[in-house]
Amino acid sequence: FLRCGMMPVQPIKELWWFKIGASEERVYYYDPTSVDAALMKRARRSSRDNTSLEIHPTQLSDEGEYKCRIVVWDNTGNSTEPSVPISKEARMMLKVNVPPEKVEITHLTSGRNLSLRCKSEGAKPPADILWTKTSPDGVETEIPDLSKTREIEPAGELYDTAEQIFYQLEENEMIAKISCVVRHHNTNTTIYKNITFVSPAIQNALKVTIQRFAEPVLYSSIENQDGQDNKAGLVKISADPGFKVPYNTSVTLKAAAPGVFPEPRYLWWVGDQTGIAGRELRIDNLEEDKSYYVLAENPLGRVVLEVPVHITTSDYSQWNDSSRDGDVNEGDTTEGLDTGAIIGIVIGALIAVFFIGFAVWYWTIRDG
C-alpha cells in the first residue's frame, strides 16, 4: 500500500500515480466523474481511502520511487466564486524484499570431522545463516561461530548467501541432527534445512572386540537384528540364493543400512584374506561352512557383523530365504541319517554286545 499522505477535504478533480524512472511512468489515473483506470495491471486504488495505491502481487520490478498528484477544487471557502483546481504532490520510495527461493546443504566427512556448507539463494537483502544441533531428546542449541566462513554473492538484483562450518562429532554421539537455519528478517521468513548423522552400530551388540584394525571395533552377530532390520541404525544382511545352500553353490552377500546417514562404507573379509570393499561380496563355488565378516562404518560409528553361510545336502527349500532380515534360525534341519551316523550306531551296538557277553561270562564262572 502506497499512501499519498494527503486526505483532502475538498472534492477531488483528478488523482495520478507515477513511477519515477528515466521518465515518469503513469501507473494509475482517477477522475471521479468518469475514469477509474489502472495503467498497470496489478495496481488499483485502495479501498482504505480515495488516494492510496495498492499493488498486488508485488514484483521485484515494482521497486523504485513513486509520486502521487492530487488535483482538488478549491474555492477558499467562498461559495460565490468559481472553484479553482489546485495540485498537490507527494513522493515516496518502495523497497521490495524477497525471501530466499532455495536452501541447500552439502557436507564432506573425514572420520569424525564434518565440513558442512549451507547456501541460501535468491534473497533480497541477503539472508542470515546460523547453525544448530538437536540432541536425541529434542533440545536445540546453537553451534558456536567457530571456524565459520561466509560468502555473499550478487545474483542479478538478488543475493546468494553461503556459509561453511567445520564441526567435530563427539565420540559418544551415536546420532547427530544438525540444522542450517536461514533467517530473512525483512520478510519474516525462517527456513530449516536438516542433516542427520546416524551411527551404523548395531543395537544389543555383543561386548567383543576384533583386533584386525588399529582400534577395537564393536562386534555383533547377525542374530541381534531379529525383528529390528527396519529401524535406522541397523545394518541389514541378505544372501542370494540364501544363507544355507547346496555344495558348490555360488552366493552373493549384500549389506544395507536403511535410515543410516551418511551411507556407511563396507569392507568384507574371511579368515586372513585381504578385505574387499563394497556393499556386495561374491562367493564362488562354496565348498564348506564359512563365516564371513563385514565392517560398516561412517563418521559416527563402526560395527562388524559375522555372517555365517552353511552347506547342506538336504532339502533346503523350507528355510532357504533370500534375505535373513535379521532373523537367524540355527536349529538342526537335517533329515535322515548320514554315513557317519550309521557307523556310530554300529560301533555302539558292538560295544554293547561285548559288555553284555562279558557280564554273562563273568557270572557263569562265578556260579560255577
Side-chain angles (χ1 to χ4, degrees), residues 53-354:
L53 182 70
E54 178 182 340
I55 302 176
H56 180 79
T58 309
Q59 296 180 359
L60 187 59
S61 58
D62 297 331
E63 184 169 281
E65 184 180 8
Y66 288 79
K67 178 178 72 173
C68 73
R69 177 187 300 157
I70 299 178
V71 180
V72 298
W73 294 107
D74 186 12
N75 59 7
T76 65
N78 189 344
S79 59
T80 61
E81 296 183 3
S83 296
V84 177
I86 298 177
S87 176
K88 300 179 179 179
E89 293 185 355
R91 291 175 178 249
M92 63 213 69
M93 287 294 299
L94 172 63
K95 289 188 176 181
V96 178
N97 300 313
V98 182
E101 178 184 13
K102 179 182 178 182
V103 176
E104 62 180 6
I105 185 171
T106 55
H107 77 285
L108 295 173
T109 59
S110 175
R112 307 188 75 85
N113 299 309
L114 307 180
S115 175
L116 303 170
R117 187 174 189 268
C118 184
K119 185 177 182 181
S120 165
E121 299 181 2
K124 181 179 177 292
D128 293 326
I129 295 177
L130 62 89
W131 297 86
T132 64
K133 185 177 72 171
T134 304
S135 64
D137 55 359
V139 178
E140 184 179 17
T141 56
E142 183 174 351
I143 298 177
D145 295 344
L146 300 176
S147 302
K148 179 185 292 186
T149 58
R150 173 175 293 187
E151 301 175 357
I152 298 178
E153 299 179 355
E157 298 180 85
L158 305 177
Y159 296 90
D160 296 342
T161 304
E163 189 167 284
Q164 185 170 0
I165 65 168
F166 300 93
Y167 181 74
Q168 186 175 46
L169 296 164
E170 299 177 5
E171 292 186 1
N172 59 349
E173 281 188 287
M174 303 303 286
I175 182 170
K177 178 182 177 182
I178 298 178
S179 302
C180 166
V181 185
V182 176
R183 291 179 176 172
H184 197 251
H185 301 283
N186 297 71
T187 58
N188 196 27
T189 301
T190 302
I191 301 175
Y192 277 78
K193 200 72 172 181
N194 305 321
I195 184 169
T196 301
F197 295 85
V198 181
S199 169
I202 302 301
Q203 296 179 7
N204 304 321
L206 304 176
K207 295 183 178 179
V208 182
T209 57
I210 289 183
Q211 301 297 332
R212 177 181 174 89
F213 300 94
E215 57 182 287
V217 297
L218 200 60
Y219 173 81
S220 173
S221 171
I222 193 172
E223 286 91 340
N224 292 327
Q225 297 184 71
D226 188 11
Q228 302 180 37
D229 63 280
N230 59 338
K231 295 183 180 180
L234 299 180
V235 179
K236 179 178 179 180
I237 306 296
S238 62
D240 182 18
F243 291 96
K244 296 181 179 181
V245 296
Y247 177 81
N248 206 32
T249 299
S250 296
V251 180
T252 300
L253 301 178
K254 299 179 181 179
V260 173
F261 186 83
E263 170 72 17
R265 67 182 183 91
Y266 302 95
L267 182 68
W268 297 84
W269 75 92
V270 59
D272 294 328
Q273 295 181 8
T274 304
I276 299 175
R279 296 182 59 179
E280 298 185 3
L281 175 67
R282 172 74 177 181
I283 307 169
D284 292 323
N285 305 323
L286 187 67
E287 297 180 350
E288 60 182 351
D289 294 350
K290 282 188 179 180
S291 286
Y292 296 84
Y293 297 89
V294 58
L295 164 72
E297 69 172 347
N298 69 8
L300 266 80
R302 53 200 323 216
V303 65
V304 172
L305 283 81
E306 179 185 12
V307 185
V309 183
H310 300 284
I311 295 293
T312 178
T313 57
S314 62
D315 181 10
Y316 60 92
S317 60
Q318 57 182 329
W319 35 254
N320 189 32
D321 297 329
S322 62
S323 176
R324 196 166 291 187
D325 285 347
D327 188 9
V328 175
N329 295 318
E330 296 293 344
D332 183 11
T333 59
T334 305
E335 297 179 357
L337 299 176
D338 56 17
T339 304
I342 295 174
I343 294 175
I345 293 173
V346 171
I347 294 175
L350 292 175
I351 293 174
V353 170
F354 170 78

